Amino acid sequence: MKFGEITRFMTGVAIPVFSIKTEENCGTGDFVDLIKFAHFCKKASLDVIQILPVNDTGMDASPYNALSAFALHPIYIRLDALADGDLKWDDSFTTEIAAAKERLNALPRVDYLEVRSFKEAMLKKIYLHNEKKIKSSKLLTKWISENKWVVPYAVYRAIKDTYMFDTWLNWKTMKDPSESDLNNYWKEHETEVLFFAWVQFELEKQLTLVSKTIEEMGLRLKGDIPILINEDSADVWYERRLFDLKGRAGAPPDMFSDIGQNWGFPCYNWDVLKKEDYSFWRARLKQAAKFYHAYRIDHVLGFFRIWRIPETETTGRLGHFDPCASMSLSNIMNAGFSDYQVRSFANPSFTKSYLRSYFGNSSEYVINAYFIEDSDGNFSFNSVSNGEKAILALKDNDDIKNKLLDLYRDRLLVQPKPDVDSYQPTWLYYKSRAFHNMDDGQRYRLRELIDRTTAQNEKIWGENALTLLSMMCETTDMLVCAEDLGAVPKCVPGVLEKLNILSLRVERWARDYHIESSPYIDPGYYPRLSVCSPSVHDTSVLRGWWEEGGWDKNQYYYLLNLHGGAPHHLTTEVSAAIIRRNMRSNSMLTIFPLQDFLAIHDDLRMPQPEDERVNVPGTVGASNWSFRMKDNVERLLNYDNYTNYLKSFIDERRNRQF
């Protein structure tokens, strides 16, 4: 769907679909709820509604852990709406749905598994009640033939159910299916498989209608497209050639963690994707364009370079950027190192005396069990202990395993392709034992070689992203917005600007880090091609941020032109001042989480700021991905004092000279 020309400053609101609360929904927000929410947005003069990914995630509540890059999530279907079509409807369905609404809507947060279980069970009852009609539907048959992803997804989901939702990696059959395997399975299990196709058909009908209704109201819907796909997904299962299952995506070490992050998602096989003209990505974007006027590219930096981690590892410590400039064996040898030294930098070896000293009384046992001696009398890790996964799986005490891990991670170089004599420095190479054991001259020459090599990366990354992001921009007419947070390479702003992709500015992090005090950048100086926001789903909301320690609250308070000291709790007055500051941004779009908009009115807030948070990255718990509005949308629609107050902020921005 086309966003349209932007001729004035625009304002939007971000809310996960599951967070919307109306009188009609059932334990979670659904697609149809977006229409009523859009009426509130229209009344408040808002332009854009931004949502999180809405793909099927199976048993996982995280919207970024999808079972399919295409399939929508059944929890977002409005069950009652199915009764308005040509399906047969039993009165018992209405009774069951009403009872579930009463039970699930009484909960303060989304009970994801309970909602998912109820809706899927209800959908099966409706499907079986209409099985004959559904199987003979020409519209459904035509839709399936026009959407090539449906058959693999439906077969995958049907088989997954027979294995009690276990990963396809553990299936005894259909682990690597051909097209004929899919077709045969469909024929043999038509009732089971067609159910999942029908559910997607109904979901797409509902979201398409919602999107068109929002457009007719003069608003735009902005989606979210994650770059990565779960290994346990229909896409990886059936389109395996498109993915690099020997590599996992993650993040390098940083100030918070010296082991980095391993997200567990497989990397892409970009060479194969390129040969197929990126048809997988084009199809994915065209599917999204059925519903969205704009989309956010999650982790756009991954299109420049991804932190690739070998499948043998559990952390991000020994990863490397891909693509990336590398040092050849001859380059490093010319810097004054022998062939043996170079290889030991990437695959560390130890003297027996060192291992005896390191492991103490356990040394003889450890050496015999986990190391192998080379022709020079040094010891390296054997096949039993060669990898973080392997070490963690050992049936040994934690002290020995932790020491093995420390030794294993202590290396200067990584060799991305074991069969190619090409190397990259580890992120913390300067802390390695091998680097410290060098003389000053060796360290200088090696640093010089590393600096000379890594200097080539900006050009490599910029060219890589220009190719991939150009493909994405030309595939649809959706407005493209980038999530470009984190350690941003220098080439990123130029590439985004060249392609008219909007970058992201989160005010609390938008600071001039080249100046000692790292002052906040005035939003009025943000790039025009950007989206500005005070907080996002992975951060605390404004109220939570205000109460966090360790930041220069008083300095920021001074920028709001308020008098006295900064209050401990975020008052409605200060909330309003922050909203106004962000509304003055030079960004084309300013998008606020709904929770931050509600913070300007006392009786719309939740009791505690943490109750309003959507997700805490790196944690697992019931509070993640379960936030629901305190009040339903109907109250907001009828709350003229609040809506008019909010509208005054938005109209002021709307009427500014563009």
Side-chain angles (χ1 to χ4, degrees):
M1 302 186 79
K2 190 170 185 177
F3 191 90
E5 185 181 2
I6 299 177
T7 58
R8 58 174 175 77
F9 290 110
M10 303 185 80
T11 308
V13 60
I15 185 166
V17 176
F18 59 75
S19 298
I20 303 174
K21 184 188 287 188
T22 67
E23 293 172 353
E24 291 88 6
N25 67 31
C26 184
T28 184
D30 59 41
F31 289 145
V32 179
D33 284 325
L34 283 165
I35 294 176
K36 187 167 284 187
F37 187 75
H39 281 288
F40 158 71
C41 294
K42 180 75 173 177
K43 194 172 180 179
S45 289
L46 286 159
D47 303 294
V48 179
I49 300 172
Q50 177 176 311
I51 60 176
L52 294 181
V54 289
N55 298 98
D56 184 3
T57 59
M59 297 291 188
D60 195 331
S62 169
Y64 293 94
N65 202 13
L67 298 179
S68 169
F70 300 87
L72 298 171
H73 206 309
I75 67 166
Y76 297 126
I77 199 161
R78 172 68 65 85
L79 292 169
D80 310 72
L82 298 176
D84 299 331
D86 58 356
L87 295 174
K88 290 189 298 180
W89 193 261
D90 192 283
D91 289 343
S92 66
F93 299 161
T94 303
T95 303
E96 286 189 65
I97 293 169
K101 284 182 180 181
E102 185 176 359
R103 175 169 50 87
L104 295 171
N105 286 340
L107 301 175
R109 302 186 77 86
V110 177
D111 188 331
Y112 174 80
L113 291 178
E114 186 67 25
V115 171
R116 179 192 172 278
S117 176
F118 170 73
K119 286 203 172 184
E120 189 157 309
M122 204 68 232
L123 284 166
K124 282 186 177 176
K125 288 182 181 181
I126 298 168
Y127 169 75
L128 292 174
H129 194 64
N130 291 271
E131 183 179 352
K132 186 176 179 180
K133 186 179 187 66
I134 291 170
K135 284 183 176 179
S136 62
S137 170
K138 292 181 180 179
L139 275 178
L140 176 58
T141 301
K142 183 174 182 289
W143 179 80
I144 292 171
S145 69
E146 291 172 345
N147 293 272
K148 303 302 182 186
W149 58 270
V150 175
V151 171
Y153 164 78
V155 172
Y156 165 82
R157 282 290 280 108
I159 299 173
K160 198 168 181 64
D161 270 13
T162 67
Y163 281 101
M164 305 296 290
F165 236 78
D166 196 7
T167 169
W168 63 262
L169 295 165
N170 296 333
W171 295 355
K172 294 179 181 177
T173 59
M174 294 287 283
K175 287 182 71 171
D176 192 10
S178 64
E179 185 177 358
S180 63
D181 290 332
L182 291 184
N183 293 332
N184 289 335
Y185 192 92
W186 184 291
K187 290 175 185 176
E188 294 169 9
H189 305 85
E190 183 184 10
T191 297
E192 294 85 351
V193 177
L194 188 62
F195 165 71
F196 293 103
W198 169 74
V199 169
Q200 290 302 313
F201 176 66
E202 295 293 347
L203 280 162
E204 185 166 307
K205 280 200 300 185
Q206 289 192 7
L207 185 53
T208 301
L209 175 63
V210 165
S211 182
K212 287 180 178 176
T213 303
I214 288 173
E215 183 178 66
E216 289 167 0
M217 294 170 64
L219 284 86
R220 283 85 161 178
L221 186 60
K222 180 183 176 185
D224 189 329
I225 301 181
I227 178 176
L228 300 167
I229 299 294
N230 190 345
E231 181 176 36
D232 186 18
S233 66
D235 309 292
V236 178
W237 172 68
Y238 185 62
E239 307 275 11
R240 213 159 306 169
R241 70 193 183 285
L242 305 179
F243 299 89
D244 172 15
L245 297 187
K246 292 185 178 180
R248 296 292 181 271
D254 56 24
M255 67 179 74
F256 304 107
S257 170
D258 66 357
I259 58 174
Q261 300 173 42
N262 184 335
W263 301 330
F265 298 109
C267 298
Y268 284 101
N269 192 338
W270 286 111
D271 291 339
V272 174
L273 282 159
K274 182 179 180 181
K275 288 177 183 176
E276 298 182 8
D277 192 31
Y278 307 104
S279 58
F280 172 81
W281 266 99
R282 291 186 191 277
R284 191 179 180 192
L285 292 167
K286 288 175 182 176
Q287 179 69 11
K290 293 178 180 178
F291 321 119
Y292 305 134
H293 303 87
Y295 68 95
R296 168 188 180 272
I297 308 174
D298 181 58
H299 191 56
V300 76
L301 301 184
F303 289 98
F304 288 80
R305 80 290 185 270
I306 202 78
W307 186 252
R308 182 185 183 277
I309 305 159
E311 62 173 335
T312 52
E313 314 306 331
T314 58
T315 73
R317 178 70 172 267
L318 297 179
H320 65 278
F321 281 126
D322 182 31
C324 191
S326 296
M327 302 174 289
S328 67
L329 175 62
S330 59
N331 289 152
I332 305 172
M333 290 178 66
N334 289 339
F337 301 96
S338 68
D339 179 285
Y340 179 83
Q341 283 179 302
V342 175
R343 297 186 189 282
S344 68
F345 292 161
N347 296 287
S349 60
F350 315 89
T351 63
K352 195 167 192 176
S353 61
Y354 180 85
L355 293 176
R356 281 175 171 167
S357 171
Y358 189 75
F359 287 101
N361 294 334
S362 304
S363 61
E364 293 305 317
Y365 158 71
V366 171
I367 291 170
N368 290 330
Y370 304 130
F371 291 86
I372 186 170
E373 188 174 6
D374 62 26
S375 57
D376 292 325
N378 291 323
F379 292 81
S380 56
F381 288 94
N382 63 21
S383 59
V384 175
S385 59
N386 197 18
E388 291 175 329
K389 282 185 182 176
I391 292 171
L392 289 170
L394 296 175
K395 305 213 183 292
D396 235 315
N397 65 62
D398 288 345
D399 181 60
I400 287 178
K401 288 197 282 190
N402 288 334
K403 286 184 175 180
L404 286 169
L405 284 171
D406 287 342
L407 281 186
Y408 178 80
R409 293 167 179 159
D410 182 12
R411 59 187 72 197
L412 196 154
L413 303 174
V414 291
Q415 188 177 5
K417 297 180 180 178
D419 55 341
V420 178
D421 282 330
S422 182
Y423 301 87
Q424 293 180 21
T426 59
W427 192 261
L428 299 177
Y429 76 89
Y430 52 88
K431 290 185 176 182
S432 67
R433 183 175 51 91
F435 189 75
H436 281 279
N437 286 342
M438 295 177 185
D439 60 42
D440 290 343
Q442 289 175 316
R443 280 196 290 269
Y444 174 80
R445 291 193 300 275
L446 185 61
R447 274 190 185 273
E448 187 179 46
L449 175 60
I450 289 172
D451 291 344
R452 194 164 65 246
T453 302
T454 54
Q456 304 170 43
N457 286 335
E458 292 289 342
K459 184 173 185 294
I460 293 171
W461 295 341
E463 290 174 350
N464 189 59
L466 192 59
T467 297
L468 298 177
L469 294 176
S470 293
M471 172 272 296
M472 297 179 74
C473 290
E474 72 186 23
T475 298
T476 75
D477 54 8
M478 291 184 290
L479 178 69
V480 186
C481 306
E483 181 271 286
D484 55 340
L485 304 175
V488 181
K490 295 177 182 178
C491 60
V492 171
V495 171
L496 297 184
E497 184 177 2
K498 185 172 184 177
L499 297 175
N500 290 320
I501 296 175
L502 275 61
S503 59
L504 177 62
R505 296 294 184 276
V506 178
E507 191 199 10
R508 67 187 74 178
W509 297 325
R511 309 179 68 154
D512 189 344
Y513 293 102
H514 297 99
I515 298 177
E516 186 176 349
S517 61
S518 301
Y520 292 91
I521 297 172
D522 190 310
Y525 292 103
Y526 291 170
R528 179 61 58 88
L529 284 173
S530 68
V531 177
C532 161
S533 185
S535 47
V536 294
H537 65 269
D538 274 342
T539 69
S540 53
V541 295
L542 282 179
R543 291 175 62 207
W545 176 53
W546 196 260
E547 295 183 12
E548 291 170 4
W551 70 285
D552 44 6
K553 186 190 303 183
N554 285 318
Q555 178 187 336
Y556 180 80
Y557 186 73
Y558 173 78
L559 298 176
L560 299 176
N561 296 316
L562 298 174
H563 303 294
H568 176 67
H569 298 291
L570 188 70
T571 64
T572 55
E573 179 189 20
V574 178
S575 296
I578 297 174
I579 298 294
R580 285 195 186 92
R581 177 176 164 84
N582 280 264
M583 287 288 188
R584 290 195 294 268
S585 78
N586 186 50
S587 305
M588 279 187 177
L589 298 180
T590 299
I591 296 182
F592 298 80
L594 178 68
Q595 302 94 302
D596 290 346
F597 272 153
L598 299 180
I600 64 174
H601 230 270
D602 269 329
D603 64 344
L604 294 175
R605 296 175 166 200
M606 283 191 159
Q608 300 298 327
E610 54 267 26
D611 296 335
E612 298 178 341
R613 183 157 184 168
V614 174
N615 180 52
V616 180
T619 67
V620 177
S623 61
N624 285 344
W625 314 115
S626 62
F627 163 70
R628 292 196 81 190
M629 297 167 58
K630 178 175 75 72
D631 300 293
N632 59 33
V633 177
E634 289 84 357
R635 184 183 182 211
L636 295 183
L637 274 169
N638 294 317
Y639 202 160
D640 290 342
N641 286 344
Y642 168 72
T643 309
N644 291 334
Y645 183 43
L646 177 61
K647 186 176 183 294
S648 68
F649 291 81
I650 298 166
D651 284 345
E652 183 180 338
R653 173 174 169 79
R654 177 187 287 245
N655 296 327
R656 279 173 51 206
Q657 184 175 353
F658 189 62

